[in-house]
């Protein structure tokens, strides 16, 4: 039946159930959202009204929440006279409905009915549940801004693959993307840069026009609500204390003014690790408390991501004010100063019923007890965090950074990093073998990351993400065997049908034969790294 991600258990019977004009929906308590979504998607694709119906009628899709099932578990039964989707929660019902949509074929993902189309479902019973509760994708909109309609589209693509966490990377040196009422210059100044490096940071090429944009608070509310209807949690990222030049350009007093003339800084126009970081001052803490107060109003997520990665300490070493703060706090060095900075916001968020999560550099210098870690520099940070009792999201750069190139061919657009083929992603294992069962319980799940330095628009994001994101979704959802034992040939066979769904959704994926002519970027330098990535 060519389903992606692969269900836990499927039983097929002879025959089909055919949908007609009279097909309707019985939505039990808690399933009303899935019924609305089906009318807006399946109804549009088929032209059927999908009216409310009662359970004793024929041609009914029965949606129900059933006790005894795990929260995201579902059971899909296609019988000769109707269809049943049961879930342990509204989310489970929604994932079952997504599977039903796949069973109807690629045209079920279109936005208007095709003439003469017959709609039928194979008689079957599917029992399914996810392996991980955190099945995430990080989208960086700071380096290249993605307008709101593109973000909403990506939420639909995540939902179609049963991915349930959208890590929204909103701030960086190259742009501040979320409206903060208390500090309007963050978007007035910080959301626009004068020009943009085209290609890797060593490239001589520039796009000589302003780039930017931001989401209003109403935009954010819409995005969060749209995600919630699809049972996706939006986790915002506001970077501290590094990756902060856009904020410093807007409010120069946030920087290390005793080391550098921060009034001369602008929003950064190139890539790499930026030396201009926040000053470890009470003023910076109060400022970002004001930012986070508004962020908490907009995002109801349990976790708030604070970045914490790639924070050069050179300015702190040169700053008399930073050195005085180290002495005043009785700290050993600049690493402990960063830990103090992160620890402040861990306590601040905890006091407000939220949890801090950051990149694995936040382990350096000590980490507050309640904080969680996104392990990006390989597996080691995640292993150390889990052994110390911290929850972990595994997203190692060498395995699931989808901005890395897909093959070694010369036609790959702006080749970055290691080669990470479709098969490499399919054989990625999120739980390190060296963890004990108790330690492994701290692995909340896994996440693929899309950094957009060399992805200037959504077509480039599509190319880097797909089809590898389909393979990642199966790793995150399905209970696959050990990497070497996974049936990649079987996945490829199912993927051949899945390309039809991606086509119907308008996804500009990388074809298995290589990039199409308009997907290439000849002459734009990248930063390819040869050899296999380190598995550590």
């Amino acid at each position: 039946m060519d389903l992606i991600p692969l269900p836990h258990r499927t039983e097929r019977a002879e025959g089909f159930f055919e949908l007609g004009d009279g097909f309707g929906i019985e939505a039990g308590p808690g399933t009303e959202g899935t019924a609305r979504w089906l009318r807006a998607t399946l109804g549009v694709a088929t032209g059927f009204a999908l009216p409310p119906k009662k359970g004793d009628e024929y041609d009914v899709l029965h949606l129900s929440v059933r006790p005894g099932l795990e929260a995201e578990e579902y059971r899909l039964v296609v019988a000769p006279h109707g269809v049943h989707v049961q879930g342990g929660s509204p989310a489970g019902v929604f994932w079952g409905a997504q599977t039903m949509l796949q069973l109807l074929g690629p045209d079920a993902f279109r936005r208007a009915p095709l003439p003469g189309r017959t709609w039928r479902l194979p008689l079957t019973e599917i029992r399914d549940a996810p392996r991980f509760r955190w099945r995430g994708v990080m989208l960086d909109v700071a380096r290249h801004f993605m307008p709101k309609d593109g973000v909403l589209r990506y939420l639909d693509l995540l939902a179609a693959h049963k991915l349930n966490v959208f890590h929204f990377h909103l701030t960086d040196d190259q742009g501040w993307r979320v409206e903060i009422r208390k500090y309007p210059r963050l978007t007035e100044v910080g959301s626009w840069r004068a020009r943009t490096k085209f290609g890797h940071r060593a490239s001589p090429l520039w796009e000589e026009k302003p780039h930017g944009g931001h989401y209003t608070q109403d935009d954010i509310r819409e995005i969060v609500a749209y995600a919630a209807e699809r049972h996706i949690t939006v986790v915002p990222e506001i970077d501290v204390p590094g990756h902060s030049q856009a904020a410093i350009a807007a409010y120069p007093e946030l920087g290390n003014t005793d080391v550098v003339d921060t009034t001369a800084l602008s929003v950064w126009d190139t890539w790499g690790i930026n030396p201009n970081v926040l000053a470890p001052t009470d003023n910076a803490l109060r400022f970002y408390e004001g930012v986070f107060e508004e962020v908490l109003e907009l995002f109801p997520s349990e976790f708030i991501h604070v970045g914490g990665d790639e924070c050069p300490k050179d300015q702190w070493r040169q700053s008399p004010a930073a050195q005085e703060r180290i002495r005043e706090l009785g700290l050993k060095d600049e690493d402990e100063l960063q830990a103090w900075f992160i620890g402040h916001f861990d306590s601040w968020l905890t006091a407000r019923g939220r949890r801090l999560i950051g990149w694995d550099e936040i382990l350096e210098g000590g980490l507050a007890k309640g904080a969680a870690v996104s392990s990006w520099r390989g597996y080691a940070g995640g292993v150390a965090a889990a052994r110390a009792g911290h929850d972990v999201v595994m997203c190692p750069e060498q395995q699931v950074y989808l901005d890395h190139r897909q093959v070694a061919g010369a036609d790959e657009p702006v080749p970055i990093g290691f080669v990470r083929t479709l098969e490499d992603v399919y054989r990625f294992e999120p739980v390190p073998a060296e963890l004990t069962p108790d330690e492994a319980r701290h692995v909340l799940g896994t996440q693929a990351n899309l950094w957009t330095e060399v992805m200037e628009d959504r077509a480039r994001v599509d190319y880097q993400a797909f089809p590898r994101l389909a393979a990642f979704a199966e790793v995150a959802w399905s209970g696959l065997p050990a990497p070497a034992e996974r049936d990649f040939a079987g996945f490829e066979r199912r993927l051949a049908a899945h390309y039809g769904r991606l086509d119907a959704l308008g996804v500009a994926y990388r074809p298995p034969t290589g990039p199409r002519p308009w997907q290439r970027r000849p002459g734009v330098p990248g930063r390819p790294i040869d050899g296999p990535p380190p598995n550590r």
Side-chain angles (χ1 to χ4, degrees):
M1 288 183 283
D2 300 323
L3 298 172
I4 291 177
L6 186 69
H8 175 66
R9 179 177 147 194
T10 303
E11 295 180 11
R12 175 76 165 88
E14 291 295 325
F16 293 87
F17 170 80
E18 189 165 316
L19 284 64
D21 286 334
F23 188 65
I25 300 175
E26 179 194 28
T31 71
E32 298 87 355
T34 296
R36 282 194 302 272
W37 175 79
L38 282 167
R39 291 188 179 103
T41 53
L42 182 58
V44 167
T46 61
F48 300 155
L50 305 179
K53 278 199 166 185
K54 296 180 181 178
D56 56 357
E57 300 180 68
Y58 288 127
D59 296 338
V60 178
L61 168 59
H62 308 268
L63 305 176
S64 60
V65 174
R66 294 294 184 191
L69 300 178
E70 296 294 326
E72 292 189 280
E73 184 180 358
Y74 70 86
R75 182 176 177 232
L76 168 61
V77 178
V78 182
H81 301 298
V83 184
H84 296 262
V85 178
Q86 302 171 350
S89 71
V93 175
F94 181 74
W95 303 132
Q98 287 282 6
T99 297
M100 185 190 75
L101 216 63
Q102 288 198 19
L103 289 174
L104 284 166
D107 289 342
F109 293 87
R110 296 191 181 277
R111 296 186 183 181
L114 299 181
R117 180 70 163 84
T118 299
W119 299 95
R120 62 182 195 172
L121 291 163
L123 301 184
T124 188
E125 179 176 344
I126 295 174
R127 294 174 180 265
D128 200 9
R131 179 184 180 191
F132 294 111
R133 72 179 180 96
W134 186 301
R135 306 180 303 280
V137 173
M138 190 285 304
L139 179 63
D140 165 27
V141 296
R143 273 55 177 270
H144 278 101
F145 179 65
M146 181 178 286
K148 182 187 66 177
D149 64 328
V151 174
L152 298 178
R153 172 180 175 267
Y154 251 84
L155 291 170
D156 281 327
L157 293 176
L158 265 61
H161 293 83
K162 298 185 175 70
L163 296 164
N164 70 340
V165 177
F166 179 61
H167 176 169
F168 206 9
H169 183 80
L170 289 164
T171 73
D172 217 298
D173 300 303
Q174 297 85 359
W176 185 284
R177 305 293 179 219
V178 56
E179 176 192 12
I180 301 297
R181 296 185 305 267
K182 189 173 183 179
Y183 305 119
R185 287 177 59 83
L186 287 173
T187 47
E188 291 170 359
V189 174
S191 70
W192 288 92
R193 58 179 181 262
R195 63 177 188 167
T196 299
K197 175 69 71 172
F198 194 38
H200 180 251
R201 60 180 173 270
S203 167
L205 305 175
W206 293 90
E207 186 179 41
E208 296 286 354
K209 67 178 183 180
H211 176 85
H214 74 277
Y215 310 103
T216 68
Q217 294 206 352
D218 281 345
D219 290 338
I220 294 292
R221 291 185 183 96
E222 180 183 356
I223 289 167
V224 169
Y226 194 87
E229 281 281 312
R230 288 146 183 79
H231 301 279
I232 296 171
T233 299
V234 182
V235 175
E237 179 176 349
I238 306 294
D239 269 294
V240 296
H243 288 286
S244 296
Q245 183 161 318
I248 297 168
Y251 292 92
E253 66 271 21
L254 295 173
N256 294 280
T257 56
D258 55 349
V259 175
V260 63
D261 178 10
T262 56
T263 63
L265 296 178
S266 59
V267 179
W268 212 28
D269 57 12
T270 189
W271 319 123
I273 299 176
N274 190 304
N276 294 299
V277 303
L278 298 175
T281 62
D282 290 341
N283 176 62
L285 296 181
R286 300 292 89 76
F287 183 97
Y288 274 85
E289 286 173 358
V291 169
F292 282 117
E293 282 171 358
E294 297 191 29
V295 167
L296 297 191
E297 291 176 10
L298 297 170
F299 297 93
S301 55
E302 175 186 3
F303 288 97
I304 303 294
H305 208 292
V306 301
D309 62 316
E310 297 179 331
C311 178
K313 310 297 193 301
D314 293 345
Q315 289 185 354
W316 289 356
R317 292 187 186 98
Q318 299 166 23
S319 164
Q323 293 302 309
E324 177 58 29
R325 171 120 301 185
I326 289 173
R327 288 189 292 272
E328 170 191 311
L329 295 170
L331 304 177
K332 183 174 67 176
D333 55 19
E334 290 78 16
D335 285 342
E336 288 195 357
L337 184 61
Q338 179 171 344
W340 164 82
F341 201 107
I342 297 296
H344 172 86
F345 286 103
D346 181 57
S347 300
W348 190 91
L349 289 167
T350 299
R352 287 153 181 81
R354 307 297 186 93
R355 293 182 65 187
L356 179 145
I357 186 168
W359 304 108
D360 55 55
E361 284 96 328
I362 68 174
L363 288 163
E364 298 164 5
L367 180 58
K369 184 177 180 181
V373 169
S374 300
S375 184
W376 78 273
R377 294 180 298 177
Y379 287 99
V383 169
R387 286 176 173 166
H390 296 287
D391 287 339
V392 179
V393 175
M394 295 301 302
C395 50
E397 175 187 17
Q398 303 90 333
Q399 313 300 329
V400 288
Y401 269 37
L402 300 186
D403 46 302
H404 283 208
R405 58 194 173 134
Q406 302 184 58
V407 297
D411 287 338
E412 287 305 299
V414 199
I416 298 295
F418 295 102
V419 171
R420 289 289 82 192
T421 66
L422 180 68
E423 183 171 1
D424 290 332
V425 174
Y426 192 68
R427 298 193 189 281
F428 164 60
E429 173 49 49
V431 179
E434 59 263 45
L435 293 182
T436 67
D438 282 343
E439 292 166 346
R441 279 192 268 277
H442 284 290
V443 179
L444 300 176
T446 183
Q447 180 172 292
N449 293 341
L450 288 158
W451 299 103
T452 63
E453 286 95 332
V454 300
M455 294 185 232
E456 69 275 14
D457 54 33
R458 81 178 197 182
R460 281 286 289 123
V461 175
D462 280 4
Y463 181 90
Q464 293 300 131
F466 290 99
R468 292 184 297 180
L469 196 61
F472 173 80
E474 188 148 305
V475 169
W477 177 279
S478 306
L480 299 177
E485 300 167 13
R486 292 177 187 171
D487 182 9
F488 179 68
F491 172 76
E492 281 193 305
R493 284 192 297 272
R494 287 181 284 117
L495 185 62
H498 196 64
Y499 284 127
R501 300 178 191 123
L502 297 179
D503 285 332
L505 288 163
V507 177
Y509 57 85
R510 181 190 188 277
T513 54
R516 297 179 172 94
W518 56 87
Q519 292 174 320
R520 299 168 188 161
R521 296 291 185 276
V524 181
R527 186 183 63 95
I529 304 175
D530 294 329
N535 189 19
R536 64 177 189 271

